[in-house]
Amino acid sequence: MSLPLDGKRALVTGAASGIGRATALELGRRGADMVLVDLTSCDAIADEITALGRKGVAVEADVGEEVHAHEAVQRSLADLGGLDILVNCAGIMRETRLLEMSVDEFDEIVRVNLRGTFLMGREAIAAMKRQGSGGRIVNIASELAYLGRAEYSAYCATKAAVLGLTRSWAREFAPDILVNSVAPGPVDTPMLGIDNMTAEWREKESDIPLGRIGRPEEIAGVIAFLAGPEATFVTGQTFSPNGGAVML
Ligand code: NAP
């Protein structure tokens, strides 16, 4: 039986944890071979991809470093024979009041969330253009790009910027490369720290029409749709799996 992503080569950043990990597994289940990029070792997830009968290549890299981004894409070309799908999922979130935020902290959030997305996107799109067979980019933003959040201004700003990159790249590289964003609401991952869920988070859950925060697999399904054969007329869009918390 053929699978929707049979023969496709994907690169997922932030693949060691949370939404990135769930996405890697979902793309693997749908037939893609994969390069798995993270600061943390992706060996375990690469083994899971291999167990699905696909190729999984683990690369330890910092998406905010130009050389690392270049090398990660080169690994896809060398080990998988090309690159068809990039999922920019690596990210960091920090809670800091504006008046207590140092320039270094601000810069680090921008470096990972925005510069990392830019560097990985630039490398991947260059490779896809040389390849000449199109491609898909899925950038992970956040519903906080729209809502803003007190004490998370740098994070919110980078996620709003990711939407700007997405729409601009979608126009610049149409019709060959389709570029979309996914802007999730709160999802149960280490980033959210649900083990330490505060009363504030519980209250937020009750504000979500579907009454709960999301699971990583529920975001991965949307990402896999955008990477797959059913999304051929979709570019420059933002999909918002958020339980109905934001309705645009
Ligand atoms: P997560 O579980 O913390 O996973 C993020 C992964 O990115 C971690 O493995 C992290 O490694 C890695 N990473 C961080 N900086 C990196 C760098 N410079 N280079 C390479 N890898 C790096 O978080 P998540 O919740 O799955 O988040 C995934 C994406 O979804 C992020 O972009 C986040 O902003 C977005 N998002 C999350 C939520 C949510 O509620 N969870 C909601 C909306 C959007 P380390 O652990 O070693 O730092």
Side-chain angles (χ1 to χ4, degrees), residues 14 16-20 38-40 61-63 89-92 112 140-142 155 159 184-187 189-192:
S17 178
I19 296 168
D38 207 291
L39 284 178
T40 305
D62 180 338
V63 296
C89 202
I92 57 173
V112 177
I140 309 310
S142 166
Y155 177 80
K159 293 302 185 178
V187 183
T189 71
M191 178 180 278
L192 204 62

Side-chain angles (χ1 to χ4, degrees), residues 43-106:
D43 287 347
I45 173 80
D47 288 346
E48 288 186 74
I49 299 289
T50 306
L52 292 170
R54 317 306 329 171
K55 272 192 192 168
V57 178
V59 174
E60 277 180 50
D62 180 338
V63 296
E65 293 300 317
E66 188 173 12
V67 173
H68 291 206
H70 178 73
E71 285 172 0
V73 169
Q74 291 307 308
R75 284 295 296 276
S76 185
L77 306 187
D79 295 3
L80 305 182
L83 180 63
D84 305 294
I85 298 162
L86 167 68
V87 181
N88 267 318
C89 202
I92 57 173
M93 182 169 79
R94 302 280 182 266
E95 177 181 6
T96 311
R97 292 169 197 270
L98 175 66
L99 301 186
E100 285 151 21
M101 187 181 293
S102 67
V103 171
D104 284 350
E105 185 175 5
F106 180 84

